[in-house]
Amino acid sequence: MDPTARCTGCGRPRAECDGCARELDPPRFCPTCGTRLAVVVTPAGYRGRCREHGPVVTGRS
Amino acid sequence: MEQVTFTPRRGRVEAIEPLDADEARRAIHAAEAALLDERRMLDGDELATLARVPDESVPALAALAHQVRLAWCGPQVEVEGILSAKTGGCPEDCHFCSQSSAFDTPVKATPFLDTDEVLAAAQETAALGASEFCIVLAIKGPDERTMQRILELVPIVKERTGLNVAVSAGILSEDQARRLAEGGVHRYNHNLETARSHFSRIVTTHTWDERADTCALVRRYGMELCCGVLLGMGETTEQRVELLLQLREVDPAEVPVNFLNPRPGTPLGDMPLTEPLEAIRWIALCRLALPSVILRYAGGREVTLRDLQALGMTSGINALIVGNYLTTLGRSPEEDLQMLADLRMPVGALSAAI
Ligand code: SF4
Ligand SMILES: [Zn+2]
Ligand SMILES: [Zn+2]
């Protein structure tokens, strides 16, 4: 389990993508397994949940 | 589904001959006399002429728009927070939208948030000094279950946060509009997005006329109408002027101005951003066409305007969405509130009845 294995912008392995999320886009893919996250964006923050790995990303605006 | 092919254009609309400097100065003076002295609205020809001022005259156009905003609306700036309470999986095919199920985008569909989550987001919004909170659902229109959820949430949010509650839930029936109004919905958001003549290139699952019908219902049942635009979808200058005149017909209390932030996976994913000065020109024209509306900075402003964000505030804008958007992030609320403080613009609720 490597929580930096995947690009959170596209879900591909780090070897294939070194990070492609646009500025002001929240993470959309699990950094561990690369599946799409259920992301909740609120006025002051965001949180992303992986079906396998639970709540994996949080942040502010 | 029909595939749209967009000829890539630069981030500004060309093909029209700009006015020369003298013509531009005269057109701006004439608009000033109309809007500030005579207190009358500009007509379509006058707006089309102003749309042609050269780049060098855009700051003068913007300065007039700021005067018009102060004269017609006062100095107050309204701050709002928005929440996507049901994200993605939308059956509509709006070609700019990452929440449509018609396109393969990174946005995963998530169900309606529960009451505690919505309330927490509203409390965040209140803590940022906002007066309005908009609950947004990615749906064609509300089914009965959704209606009940909305009608249950609105009074709770209102009571617990003191915020005005706005809702955006797509196309409404007459009965739904009435129930939402009775249920305490302060404003209902339903954007025209683009000119009627351009709409079928952007959306094929419903018509512009259906949108205009919902806008009319919102007003008929006494909610304030929030009806926005999304610029930068390949529309022409003429179509932008057309849109401004169509907005006038639906007569909104509030107009959120969005600029396309091209979303990966959508048909408009490769469109260029609107150029910053072009965005300022059209913010100013929105104000000159709609002198008394609440003109709100909305999605795409950070990536489109970059360092010109403060200039928009003196080009006719008198409201903003603070913090994050529906599926994308905004700049930090502290930066926006600092910008307003630096501009000495007081924050407060605005109303259609000003
Ligand atoms: S109706 Fe709204 S959520 Fe659905 S595709 Fe259109 S813009 Fe997106
Ligand atoms: Zn990537
Ligand atoms: Zn995972």
Side-chain angles (χ1 to χ4, degrees):
Chain A
M1 280 238 319
D2 173 6
T4 59
R6 300 288 183 138
C7 169
T8 58
C10 65
R12 288 182 294 163
R14 278 284 170 193
E16 285 168 42
C17 183
D18 199 22
C20 64
R22 299 184 190 189
E23 197 195 348
L24 299 177
D25 275 355
R28 287 281 166 197
F29 294 87
C30 177
T32 298
C33 68
T35 54
R36 275 198 305 173
L37 299 170
V39 178
V40 174
V41 176
T42 68
Y46 62 84
R47 50 185 190 273
R49 192 179 179 84
C50 172
R51 214 186 314 159
E52 279 297 305
H53 300 103
V56 285
V57 291
T58 56
R60 286 166 43 96
S61 55
Chain B
M1 189 194 3
E2 181 197 348
Q3 275 295 316
V4 215
T5 44
F6 272 85
T7 331
R9 293 179 215 246
R10 286 174 44 215
R12 56 171 297 158
V13 185
E14 298 193 75
I16 50 159
E17 187 68 15
L19 304 179
D20 69 32
D22 276 344
E23 290 168 331
R25 193 172 42 78
R26 279 195 295 274
I28 293 170
H29 277 164
E32 177 179 347
L35 286 159
L36 296 180
D37 300 326
E38 300 160 41
R39 282 245 168 194
R40 70 161 174 87
M41 305 273 260
L42 303 180
D43 65 27
D45 289 342
E46 289 170 312
L47 290 167
T49 301
L50 291 172
R52 292 168 53 215
V53 304
D55 286 350
E56 303 78 60
S57 302
V58 167
L61 190 73
L64 172 61
H66 183 54
Q67 290 306 315
V68 168
R69 170 236 158 167
L70 291 173
W72 290 65
C73 307
Q76 219 95 0
V77 175
E78 193 186 85
V79 175
E80 176 189 46
I82 62 174
L83 173 70
S84 177
K86 186 257 159 202
T87 303
C90 182
E92 301 308 286
D93 74 347
C94 310
H95 290 9
F96 52 83
C97 183
S98 62
Q99 301 196 62
S100 167
S101 59
F103 318 125
D104 184 19
T105 79
V107 175
K108 185 180 161 95
T110 53
F112 210 130
L113 300 180
D114 56 35
T115 302
D116 286 348
E117 291 174 296
V118 175
L119 198 52
Q123 276 155 348
E124 279 173 13
T125 301
L128 298 173
S131 53
E132 187 99 13
F133 177 65
C134 188
I135 301 169
V136 184
L137 311 176
I139 53 181
K140 183 183 183 104
D143 57 16
E144 184 49 31
R145 228 180 108 218
T146 304
M147 280 296 293
Q148 303 217 351
R149 286 286 286 128
I150 296 170
L151 291 169
E152 171 192 318
L153 279 167
V154 169
I156 297 177
V157 171
K158 239 168 106 162
E159 192 183 312
R160 299 277 290 275
T161 64
L163 294 168
N164 287 322
V165 183
V167 169
S168 182
I171 293 166
L172 298 178
S173 70
E174 179 139 8
D175 187 54
Q176 289 173 332
R178 183 185 51 76
R179 287 167 69 201
L180 291 176
E182 286 170 6
V185 174
H186 174 243
R187 246 176 234 163
Y188 192 83
N189 165 264
H190 200 58
N191 293 345
L192 287 182
E193 312 292 12
T194 197
R196 189 170 188 273
S197 67
H198 191 53
F199 193 81
S200 64
R201 293 193 68 203
I202 303 298
V203 182
T204 71
T205 47
H206 62 267
T207 63
W208 190 96
D209 290 351
E210 282 176 272
R211 298 194 78 80
D213 288 348
T214 290
C215 290
L217 286 175
V218 168
R219 297 199 52 233
R220 185 173 319 150
Y221 287 97
M223 291 181 281
E224 288 189 6
L225 173 63
C226 166
C227 181
V229 299
L230 174 49
L231 302 178
M233 299 195 290
E235 71 282 357
T236 64
T237 296
E238 288 77 6
Q239 285 170 323
R240 286 185 182 173
V241 173
E242 176 195 335
L243 173 60
L244 293 177
L245 298 175
Q246 286 163 344
L247 269 177
R248 253 189 209 172
E249 273 168 46
V250 301
D251 197 12
E254 171 184 336
V255 175
V257 182
N258 298 277
F259 295 99
L260 181 72
N261 179 357
R263 299 285 80 208
T266 66
L268 300 185
D270 295 323
M271 287 291 284
L273 290 170
T274 302
E275 288 178 2
L277 198 61
E278 219 29 38
I280 295 293
R281 172 195 302 270
W282 286 96
I283 287 170
L285 284 162
C286 286
R287 172 56 68 196
L288 297 173
L290 302 152
S292 62
V293 296
I294 300 164
L295 194 65
R296 191 180 300 279
Y297 248 162
R301 72 174 151 109
E302 287 89 349
V303 293
T304 297
L305 282 152
R306 300 192 294 261
D307 283 349
L308 296 194
Q309 284 187 77
L311 185 55
M313 296 307 306
T314 55
S315 306
I317 294 285
N318 66 336
L320 49 83
I321 291 174
V322 75
N324 296 326
Y325 300 99
L326 301 176
T327 62
T328 60
L329 308 179
R331 68 173 182 173
S332 84
E334 291 75 19
E335 276 177 277
D336 278 337
L337 297 175
Q338 187 64 55
M339 173 179 75
L340 296 180
D342 291 348
L343 287 164
R344 300 212 173 166
M345 289 184 181
V347 172
L350 291 165
S351 129
I354 212 162

